[in-house]
Amino acid sequence: MLPLAAVSGCDGADVLAAPPSPAPAVTVLREAIAAEQLMITRYTTALHQAGAAGGSAGSLAGTLEPLLAEHRAHLAQLRSRLIVPAGSKASPAAPHERAPAPVPSGVSTSVAFLRTAEQDAVTAMRQRLHRAPSSLAQLYASIGASEATHVPVLDAAAARVTP
Amino acid sequence: MSGRVPSAPGTVRALQTALTAEHAAVYGYGVAGAYLTGSTQAAAAMNDWVAHQVARDHLEAVLRSLGAQPTAAAVAYQLPAPVRNASEAVALAVVLEERIATAYLGLVALSNDSIRDYGARQVQASALRAAAWRGGTVAFPGMTAAALARSRKRS
């Protein structure tokens, strides 16, 4: 009599082995999710700083809040593309390899910091294009384009805020 | 676009779609420009009109290099709304750029790296022009709500 595993063609040891590594596209998607989460944290911090500073800095909220809302929309779309298996404890976002730089204090400095962060995000999103299936590539391109439009908005805000 | 571009039917179709959108944009900016007479807006309209002519010429060259006949421009295009003054001209420019961004997202969906990168750069350029005309940004340039829902199901 053959063992059941041989009859079924299954290898019991493989069935119980560790789950396979995620596909490269999944890793890239997790990176994109982590990047948006970080951007949202940065905007939230900058908004708190501007609110605390008051005066002309307080008016920055009218500029930063719409951009923050767009990053939240980006994050929601990216998260909706990631299917996490039921019962999985894995975080939907990839952890950052290094601790991200904190938002500097000072309103004009923080606006300049956000501008640089947006430019870096555009570059990173473009690099993800080539490691993505078609529908995700379109989403990355659209999000990257949106983030590129944030740069001139922050330039104009920087001109309004006195250091 | 650099490197070898594959001449698959899907590639040619997506390039023709982008070219058709560029033809419409060149025509549309010609109409809008007539109503944008302030120095800043007139200069912006002229810059954008030229940018679309350059993109059109590039797409035509790529299509010819693939052995395809580039789609010709129509004599006239139906405008999405009447243009009778500067604010309607600005609204037209925004619509043209949104349609251009959507067309270039078709190139981003192709698997060739060079075309995908070119498409993404054009989506970005269009989003910047649209934001300047609109005076505001959007979360997903070139993607309609329906397209976002459709691509979410596919991925």
Side-chain angles (χ1 to χ4, degrees):
Chain A
M1 185 184 292
L2 284 170
L4 184 58
V7 174
S8 67
C10 293
D11 183 333
D14 278 352
V15 169
L16 297 174
S21 307
V26 174
T27 304
V28 173
L29 178 56
R30 285 186 163 147
E31 286 172 11
I33 289 170
E36 284 297 343
Q37 286 174 326
L38 178 59
M39 196 70 89
I40 288 167
T41 303
R42 287 169 166 166
Y43 269 88
T44 306
T45 304
L47 272 162
H48 282 309
Q49 289 179 358
S56 65
S59 67
L60 260 183
T63 299
L64 299 187
E65 278 170 355
L67 305 186
L68 172 59
E70 288 177 9
H71 283 296
R72 286 187 169 132
H74 298 163
L75 178 61
Q77 272 294 326
L78 291 167
R79 276 182 168 159
S80 75
R81 311 301 171 98
L82 186 66
I83 299 169
V84 180
S88 169
K89 291 181 181 174
S91 165
H96 290 284
E97 289 179 6
R98 290 173 297 175
V103 179
S105 58
V107 174
S108 62
T109 318
S110 67
V111 170
F113 178 85
L114 290 176
R115 182 194 189 282
T116 302
E118 293 280 11
Q119 281 188 315
D120 292 346
V122 172
T123 303
M125 206 54 100
R126 173 118 7 102
Q127 288 166 348
R128 290 184 189 109
L129 282 181
H130 306 301
R131 297 180 288 155
S134 293
S135 62
L136 271 174
Q138 288 182 312
L139 181 61
Y140 293 157
S142 183
I143 290 175
S146 172
E147 290 172 336
T149 64
H150 293 180
V151 173
V153 175
L154 291 168
D155 280 338
R160 290 195 304 270
V161 177
T162 49
Chain B
M1 257 174 276
S2 60
R4 190 175 171 278
V5 174
S7 57
T11 303
V12 170
R13 197 162 45 242
L15 288 165
Q16 296 282 26
T17 299
L19 175 58
T20 301
E22 290 291 8
H23 281 316
V26 169
Y27 176 88
Y29 269 97
V31 174
Y35 295 92
L36 299 169
T37 51
S39 60
T40 305
Q41 286 194 325
M46 178 61 78
N47 282 342
D48 294 355
W49 188 50
V50 170
H52 288 296
Q53 289 176 319
V54 170
R56 174 203 61 193
D57 293 349
H58 180 72
L59 289 168
E60 286 179 342
V62 172
L63 280 160
R64 285 198 187 93
S65 76
L66 298 178
Q69 178 65 35
T71 301
V75 176
Y77 289 82
Q78 170 106 39
L79 298 177
V83 178
R84 295 160 299 205
N85 52 47
S87 69
E88 288 173 352
V90 167
L92 173 61
V94 172
V95 171
L96 292 172
E97 296 297 350
E98 287 170 346
R99 290 181 179 178
I100 284 282
T102 301
Y104 278 110
L105 279 177
L107 297 187
V108 175
L110 300 173
S111 57
N112 178 271
D113 282 352
S114 172
I115 294 187
R116 196 174 264 202
D117 195 56
Y118 177 74
R121 287 178 188 278
Q122 291 297 95
V123 173
Q124 182 178 315
S126 173
L128 285 164
R129 289 190 293 262
W133 287 118
R134 193 190 296 111
T137 61
V138 296
F140 301 104
M143 296 190 89
T144 61
L148 282 168
R150 266 201 312 277
S151 62
R152 194 162 53 235
K153 283 180 190 164
R154 280 206 309 268
S155 60

